[in-house]
Amino acid sequence: IMAGVLKAVLLLWGAACCLITLCPDEKDDCPINVYFTMDTSESVALREFPWGSLVEELKEFLQMFVKRLQTTPLRAKRAQWAYGGLHFSDRVEVFSQVITDAADFLGSVQAIRYIGRGTFIDCALKNMTEQVRLTASGKPRLQYAVVLTDGHITGSPCGGVSRAAEAAKAAGIKIFVVATNEYTMESELKRIASSPVELYRKDYMAFPASNRQAAVNRITDTMVGL
């Protein structure tokens, strides 16, 4: 038990050190980007009746997540949150470029309508990495991604999940993975998540609602280094 507690403390300490290192208390602003990649394929959108209702639950997760980050104090005074996102099935739709206006971002979230059809997670991750790179500048920053999916895959035309996930991590993106519901391919979720998996995958779930707040709290607390 003590070993498990110590491991959890070390993981959180590492996240806190990362924030302090990349966002020192200096005059320059320090952007912290959070990119959401949300599965709206058939296996998610048609999981609960009425059809599309689970996608609405995922949108609620994003709303709660952003609002909590906006109201959580940071050690680095010049740190600034920015948000972007896409949703996907066998194609990708970018619903928001990376922006600092949380209200505008959340307005874009509300406009999401599910796609349905098949699931190409590798293409979603590849597009996510490209979108994050478009916003990168020369200054140090934290790049987070939150991927919401059930892990079910119908095809891999973009090189496979492992390859796409490793490319994202190599680009400096720290990937948290949240299960859309309890019917998941856990091996695929762990393949996507950054290391250590115990921190970036854990047992985060967006649905049912009783699991949602705990997942939001744990991930956002890690991001801010609490």
Side-chain angles (χ1 to χ4, degrees):
I1 295 175
M2 288 301 295
V5 171
L6 179 59
K7 185 175 184 180
V9 170
L10 289 174
L11 290 174
L12 290 175
W13 178 82
C17 287
C18 187
L19 179 61
I20 293 169
T21 301
L22 293 179
C23 290
D25 189 7
E26 298 176 351
K27 293 182 179 180
D28 293 337
D29 289 334
C30 182
I32 307 174
N33 294 349
V34 182
Y35 201 90
F36 295 94
T37 299
M38 189 169 78
D39 188 339
T40 63
S41 65
E42 183 174 311
S43 65
V44 174
L46 304 186
R47 169 62 63 180
E48 301 287 331
F49 186 81
W51 310 138
S53 60
L54 181 52
V55 173
E56 295 303 311
E57 299 284 349
L58 302 185
K59 288 159 63 173
E60 180 62 26
F61 178 92
L62 265 62
Q63 296 271 344
M64 292 171 61
F65 199 103
V66 171
K67 289 176 181 177
R68 192 167 196 270
L69 282 181
Q70 290 296 120
T71 57
T72 301
L74 289 171
R75 288 189 180 94
K77 295 178 181 178
R78 303 290 292 183
Q80 183 181 51
W81 295 108
Y83 309 98
L86 61 81
H87 67 107
F88 70 95
S89 62
D90 56 1
R91 62 184 173 89
V92 170
E93 291 187 6
V94 175
F95 63 84
S96 175
Q97 303 296 327
V98 177
I99 56 176
T100 57
D101 190 313
D104 281 355
F105 174 77
L106 292 178
S108 298
V109 170
Q110 285 305 309
I112 293 172
R113 297 294 178 266
Y114 75 85
I115 303 171
R117 307 192 307 190
T119 315
F120 298 166
I121 295 178
D122 58 342
C123 294
L125 296 176
K126 180 180 178 181
N127 275 268
M128 175 191 80
T129 303
E130 291 171 352
Q131 289 295 314
V132 170
R133 281 175 171 159
L134 287 175
T135 67
S137 67
K139 66 175 63 176
R141 66 176 67 205
L142 279 171
Q143 302 275 16
Y144 288 117
V146 180
V147 177
L148 298 97
T149 183
D150 58 7
H152 292 280
I153 299 171
T154 60
S156 300
C158 294
V161 170
S162 294
R163 181 176 177 182
E166 289 308 313
K169 297 164 193 174
I173 305 171
K174 301 178 184 300
I175 308 173
F176 289 91
V177 181
V178 179
T180 53
N181 55 71
E182 65 268 29
Y183 302 103
T184 62
M185 297 293 292
E186 188 63 32
S187 60
E188 296 299 327
L189 303 190
K190 290 179 177 178
R191 197 190 310 269
I192 298 167
S194 289
S195 181
V197 174
E198 296 88 348
L199 178 65
Y200 288 96
R201 167 63 195 114
K202 206 171 173 62
D203 55 354
Y204 309 130
M205 290 180 62
F207 183 81
S210 56
N211 296 76
R212 187 178 302 144
Q213 189 67 62
V216 168
N217 291 352
R218 290 202 301 269
I219 298 174
T220 55
D221 283 354
T222 301
M223 285 183 175
V224 301
L226 295 179

